[in-house]
Amino acid sequence: MSTQSVEPKSQPPADVEPATDPAPVPGPAPAPGPPAASDSVHVTIVLPCYNEQDHVIDEIERICKAMDGSGKTYELLAVDDCSTDATLARLEEAAPRFPNMRIMAFQHNSGSGTVRRIGSQQARGDIVVWTDADMSYPNERIPELVEVLDTEPAVDQVVGARTTEEGTHKALRVPAKWFIRKVAERLTNTKIPDLNSGLRAFRREVSLPYLRLLPPGFSCVTTITIAFLSNQHPVRYMPIDYAKRAGKSKFHFTKDAYRYILQVLRMVMYFNPLKVLMPPALWLIVIGLLKGVFDMVVHFGYFANNTIMIFVTGLIIASLALLADLIVRSRGDV
């Protein structure tokens, strides 16, 4: 068995004091910032703010008062979408009064859909609430929406279904929204009392796969509704009152209504293309067959060119529908 010799450690001379580290020089205190990412909250309220200087603080007071009274832990994420008025200044001035408010400022105007997407992605709460800062939605009822999700685990989203229409261009908006809603109901096989309400609460974990699909504009609320319905995530509707908005509306009827229709079709195509493509394909095939029978009776042994075109077009669309459905099923995110 081998042994190792251990040399004794050398001692410093008696007249030499051992070196000591210099005392650290205190530096400046860190600037206060948003709460640490580990701070746990139950609800995140995403509030897009764009040129809302005259009423944004009143809306924040209403939301915070309701949430404080509910006893639920929360954060209010107020996102200034590069306002051209004093909205951001008002938010920063009021920040000390609202310890649960977090302010995010965009460098350029990106649209309410982008605000809600980024706000939901950065939310710290298990439940995300979307609403507006224009005093139109009864935000004092936000705890009621959250309570439904807390007490009913099977429900993944709660939407405030408006019982009246108080927006601009009312005579045009009502029939247009009814038509778009009926198209969405037909394509999703679901009754939808309000397709594009801006007041809703949903489970953040369920929404994460669909946030990247949100468009930058108003149709983001339509998108998140159809995304949940198309993937069998239960949605509950709660009737709410709807007031005339404060300030100037950012809704442009012709442009935004057109975008709503396209977004409904786009979302259903994304999740269930057979719903969009297969019905017209089958109709064309049936019409082509009936037209072919008619041609055989009237002109035996002769098929008109339009008969062949109708039938072949139906086959092509049906093939595209099956191919699109195959792509959707192979994605793995539905």
Side-chain angles (χ1 to χ4, degrees):
M1 179 175 181
S2 63
T3 60
Q4 295 179 348
S5 61
V6 179
E7 297 182 357
K9 297 182 179 179
S10 60
Q11 301 293 329
D15 57 345
V16 178
E17 295 181 0
T20 58
D21 295 333
V25 179
S38 59
D39 291 351
S40 175
V41 295
H42 182 48
V43 182
T44 294
I45 303 165
V46 180
L47 186 68
C49 304
Y50 179 65
N51 291 348
E52 314 281 4
Q53 64 176 13
D54 295 330
H55 44 267
V56 65
I57 303 305
D58 293 337
E59 192 67 276
I60 289 173
E61 287 180 346
R62 180 164 62 149
I63 294 172
C64 291
K65 181 179 178 180
M67 292 303 299
D68 290 339
S70 71
K72 301 180 186 296
T73 58
Y74 73 98
E75 64 170 350
L76 174 60
L77 183 55
V79 184
D80 178 69
D81 195 15
C82 196
S83 297
T84 57
D85 62 2
T87 297
L88 180 58
R90 300 283 173 86
L91 290 172
E92 293 174 341
E93 181 182 357
R97 295 169 47 198
F98 305 103
N100 293 318
M101 180 173 69
R102 211 164 28 118
I103 301 174
M104 182 184 301
F106 283 5
Q107 299 303 311
H108 57 85
N109 183 259
S110 303
S112 61
T114 302
V115 170
R116 290 183 170 108
R117 173 178 60 81
I118 294 178
S120 301
Q121 289 170 336
Q122 298 196 7
R124 299 169 186 166
D126 301 321
I127 294 175
V128 176
V129 176
W130 287 359
T131 188
D132 290 334
D134 56 12
M135 306 298 289
S136 59
Y137 289 101
N139 287 328
E140 66 275 4
R141 298 188 61 184
I142 288 177
E144 298 179 38
L145 276 68
V146 175
E147 186 64 22
V148 173
L149 296 176
D150 287 340
T151 57
E152 301 187 33
V155 178
D156 289 327
Q157 183 172 182
V158 182
V159 179
R162 295 165 292 182
T163 56
T164 59
E165 174 60 63
E166 299 295 339
T168 57
H169 310 288
K170 185 174 180 179
L172 297 174
R173 285 168 66 121
V174 171
K177 290 171 68 174
W178 177 88
F179 173 75
I180 297 171
R181 180 166 55 86
K182 289 302 179 182
V183 171
E185 288 181 346
R186 178 69 176 175
L187 295 175
T188 59
N189 287 332
T190 309
K191 181 70 174 177
I192 306 176
D194 193 343
L195 179 62
N196 55 350
S197 171
L199 177 59
R200 60 190 60 225
F202 52 86
R203 304 188 192 280
R204 178 178 180 272
E205 184 178 1
V206 175
S207 71
L208 288 178
Y210 314 124
L211 293 179
R212 60 187 177 84
L213 304 175
L214 297 181
F218 291 104
S219 52
C220 62
V221 291
T222 302
T223 302
I224 201 70
T225 301
I226 295 178
F228 272 55
L229 293 176
S230 298
N231 290 278
Q232 307 304 314
H233 299 298
V235 178
R236 175 73 59 82
Y237 296 92
M238 179 182 296
I240 61 170
D241 295 327
Y242 186 61
K244 186 176 181 180
R245 65 154 290 131
K248 185 179 179 181
S249 175
K250 291 96 177 174
F251 182 85
H252 301 283
F253 174 77
T254 304
K255 180 172 63 176
D256 290 317
Y258 176 71
R259 288 177 177 174
Y260 274 129
I261 295 175
L262 286 185
Q263 191 63 17
V264 169
L265 295 175
R266 181 183 296 121
M267 290 304 298
V268 178
M269 277 289 295
Y270 186 87
F271 291 114
N272 193 353
L274 293 180
K275 278 283 186 180
V276 178
L277 296 177
M278 193 55 76
L282 294 178
W283 272 108
L284 289 173
I285 291 174
V286 171
I287 293 173
L289 289 174
L290 294 177
K291 184 69 164 51
V293 173
F294 175 81
D295 291 343
M296 288 294 293
V297 173
V298 177
H299 308 287
F300 183 77
Y302 171 78
F303 290 104
N305 291 336
N306 55 7
T307 302
I308 299 174
M309 290 182 62
I310 292 172
F311 183 78
V312 172
T313 301
L315 290 178
I316 292 174
I317 296 176
S319 300
L320 291 176
L322 294 173
L323 179 60
D325 185 69
L326 179 62
I327 294 174
V328 167
R329 303 305 167 192
S330 64
R331 280 203 317 257
D333 61 348
V334 295

